Amino acid sequence: MTENPSRRERVRQQTIKEIKERSFELLDAGGVTDVSIASVGKAMGMSPPALYRYFPSREALLEALVVDAYADLGSTTAAAARTEPPLDAPARIARIAQAWRRWALTHPRRYAMLFSDRSATAQDTPEGVAGVNQGMLQLLAALQEIAEPTPHTTTPLDESLVRWGQAIGAPPGMSPLALRLGVLCWSRLHGLVSLEISGAFAAMGLDAAQLAATEMQTVIDTARHACPTH
Amino acid sequence: MTENPSRRERVRQQTIKEIKERSFELLDAGGVTDVSIASVGKAMGMSPPALYRYFPSREALLEALVVDAYADLGSTTAAAARTEPPLDAPARIARIAQAWRRWALTHPRRYAMLFSDRSATAQDTPEGVAGVNQGMLQLLAALQEIAEPTPHTTTPLDESLVRWGQAIGAPPGMSPLALRLGVLCWSRLHGLVSLEISGAFAAMGLDAAQLAATEMQTVIDTARHACPTH
DNA sequence: CACTAAAGTTAATGGTCGTAACGAAAACTA
DNA sequence: TAGTTTTCGTTACGACCATTAACTTTAGTG
């Protein structure tokens, strides 16, 4: 009864950590297909079957990478909103979006793993969703600050948005407009970033950074009920 | 000297066609990873190495599928704009967007293959880009009709948009606003559709169709210099 | 120290892509 | 028509991969 996490457990956790580190290195270098039980084992000087003591299958290892990547992306974007001194809401929205895009450009293979490679194959685990929602909650808070109250009658879409907000732990009383803009901001940003990573904008000779900047400004203007700048 | 395409060439093209058909069946059923030289061979009653007479590698076969899928997506969306009698520009934009989304939902694995699986790996071939640009040209034509002339000074982004428009064969004199909205419309639609395919909106309890409809209405309103409806 | 359980090893199965060597059939040619 | 060449298919093979089974080594525990 030395420690609650026994020494054995500690070295085991250390091994798991190293497996994931080496896996991320291989992932970043050559994409998810390069993360094989054999390649990871070789990278750590272990025989491949030894990894099965830690992950029941290659798929489980990849899922662990997904959860970690989601958590990293979520905490990175959430941290971008918490500056000292605090920024006003529009600046925070811009920073959150920048952080999302920058993370995706810094780790394009990880971003592809999260949002592309596994599309329609395996659905996200609750852990993964919770990780990325850290950033979403910050975004929603900023949007709520500048979203003008809407006297509109609530549509079915609004109702489902409110339910979603409650489900992810947003504070009560969120405006449906803020919730909708949160979803649309995320969706637009994802579209831009995934096309940018694929090289589409570069092939078109367009500056993706400028496209992203104007797109985010549009979201902010819409929250304020102002006309987007053309 | 029976025909210009000799009999041998004809049966060869037929075989290539069947290889791609079987490949698409496997792709639609289980994703791109299920399209293997072995599985396609088995599906056609051929030994796997025989396929190398027609495609130099599995990668080349996949690339051929990509080109065909791009062409199908492009012609499907372009066809949606050419109705009889012709529709007005806003309705055409809505129909193009619907056609894009519907194609993606009908062939989610193909859509993932085009825009996700190969991200950052291999860049698009000119053939593929040309195929999907059929729909883009229709979209740009419709946007041009309703885009009010902008007396703005041209920005660097505008200049690169104009260059891109010329490169893909858009008629001269396109408004930068129409070009920019074409790109943003595409990007937003892609973000929505890829998230919808991945099941993200379903997991959030949101109606993706409604999100897409409002998003496209926003594009149309922006083209008219009108405030998006909230 | 002796025992047990965890962690590592090698060996083996069955799957993949791709190459090599070979046989059969079709088309061309003298 | 008969012979030659090209094409198309085959089987056999080597190099990877994931995964399981059986065995050995190591480390913690009474």
Side-chain angles (χ1 to χ4, degrees):
Chain A
M1 51 198 61
T2 51
E3 304 94 343
N4 209 356
S6 70
R7 162 174 164 72
R8 199 155 212 167
E9 190 60 23
R10 265 182 290 128
V11 60
R12 180 180 176 83
Q13 294 306 321
Q14 172 58 34
T15 305
I16 290 179
K17 191 176 155 198
E18 186 183 346
I19 291 174
K20 293 197 285 193
E21 283 172 3
R22 300 279 170 266
S23 299
F24 271 124
E25 289 171 10
L26 289 162
L27 169 64
D28 291 336
V32 73
T33 59
D34 278 22
V35 181
S36 68
I37 295 290
S39 61
V40 175
K42 185 183 301 184
M44 352 190 359
M46 277 171 71
S47 69
L51 295 184
Y52 287 90
R53 301 286 178 188
Y54 303 92
F55 294 94
S57 70
R58 173 177 182 268
E59 213 47 46
L61 169 58
L62 293 183
E63 192 56 40
L65 300 183
V66 165
V67 170
D68 277 21
Y70 264 136
D72 186 29
L73 173 58
S75 67
T76 299
T77 53
R82 288 190 298 260
T83 59
E84 192 58 41
L87 297 166
D88 62 347
R92 257 163 31 227
I93 293 171
R95 274 181 63 92
I96 290 171
Q98 275 174 12
W100 179 285
R101 174 167 170 268
R102 195 174 304 276
W103 191 93
L105 296 180
T106 308
H107 309 294
R109 311 287 196 169
R110 307 190 195 191
Y111 193 85
M113 175 181 69
L114 292 183
F115 293 102
S116 304
D117 276 317
R118 341 173 304 112
S119 59
T121 302
Q123 56 261 29
D124 290 326
T125 65
E127 286 173 284
V129 176
V132 80
N133 272 343
Q134 300 175 63
M136 177 56 87
L137 289 172
Q138 290 286 338
L139 176 63
L140 290 176
L143 285 167
Q144 175 73 14
E145 284 184 36
I146 60 176
E148 304 214 346
T150 51
H152 283 306
T153 60
T154 61
T155 66
L157 182 60
D158 288 344
E159 291 174 17
S160 49
L161 283 165
V162 170
R163 272 194 297 273
W164 166 68
Q166 292 170 340
I168 67 170
M174 286 285 301
S175 138
L177 173 61
L179 290 163
R180 207 190 71 201
L181 285 178
V183 172
L184 289 183
C185 180
W186 175 50
S187 171
R188 291 181 188 180
L189 198 52
H190 170 63
L192 280 168
V193 164
S194 64
L195 288 177
E196 181 177 9
I197 287 179
S198 78
F201 293 136
M204 296 158 72
L206 301 179
D207 182 354
Q210 252 179 314
L211 287 172
T214 65
E215 196 70 325
M216 290 307 104
Q217 188 59 47
T218 302
V219 171
I220 294 169
D221 290 344
T222 307
R224 289 170 161 152
H225 285 236
C227 265
T229 55
H230 300 300
Chain B
M1 55 198 61
T2 53
E3 302 95 341
N4 208 357
S6 71
R7 163 174 164 72
R8 200 153 211 170
E9 190 59 24
R10 265 182 291 127
V11 60
R12 180 180 177 81
Q13 293 307 321
Q14 172 59 33
T15 305
I16 289 178
K17 191 177 156 196
E18 186 184 346
I19 291 174
K20 293 197 283 192
E21 283 172 3
R22 300 277 170 264
S23 299
F24 271 124
E25 290 170 10
L26 289 163
L27 170 64
D28 290 336
V32 73
T33 60
D34 278 22
V35 181
S36 68
I37 296 290
S39 62
V40 175
K42 184 182 301 182
M44 324 183 33
M46 276 172 70
S47 67
L51 295 185
Y52 287 93
R53 301 286 180 190
Y54 301 93
F55 294 94
S57 70
R58 174 177 180 268
E59 213 47 45
L61 169 58
L62 293 183
E63 193 54 40
L65 299 183
V66 165
V67 170
D68 278 20
Y70 264 136
D72 185 30
L73 172 59
S75 67
T76 299
T77 53
R82 289 188 298 260
T83 59
E84 192 58 42
L87 297 166
D88 62 347
R92 276 194 338 261
I93 294 171
R95 276 182 61 93
I96 290 171
Q98 274 174 13
W100 179 284
R101 174 167 170 267
R102 196 174 305 275
W103 190 93
L105 296 181
T106 308
H107 309 294
R109 312 286 197 170
R110 305 189 196 191
Y111 193 86
M113 176 181 67
L114 292 182
F115 293 102
S116 302
D117 276 319
R118 342 171 304 110
S119 59
T121 303
Q123 56 261 29
D124 291 325
T125 66
E127 286 173 284
V129 176
V132 78
N133 272 342
Q134 300 175 64
M136 176 58 87
L137 289 171
Q138 291 286 338
L139 176 63
L140 290 177
L143 285 167
Q144 174 74 15
E145 285 185 35
I146 59 177
E148 305 214 346
T150 52
H152 283 306
T153 59
T154 61
T155 66
L157 182 60
D158 287 345
E159 290 175 17
S160 49
L161 282 166
V162 169
R163 272 194 297 272
W164 165 69
Q166 292 170 340
I168 68 170
M174 286 285 299
S175 136
L177 173 60
L179 291 163
R180 208 190 68 200
L181 286 177
V183 172
L184 290 184
C185 179
W186 175 51
S187 171
R188 290 180 188 180
L189 198 54
H190 169 63
L192 280 168
V193 164
S194 63
L195 288 177
E196 181 177 8
I197 287 179
S198 77
F201 292 138
M204 295 158 72
L206 301 179
D207 183 353
Q210 254 180 312
L211 287 171
T214 64
E215 195 72 325
M216 289 306 105
Q217 188 59 45
T218 302
V219 171
I220 294 169
D221 291 343
T222 307
R224 288 168 160 154
H225 285 237
C227 265
T229 55
H230 299 301

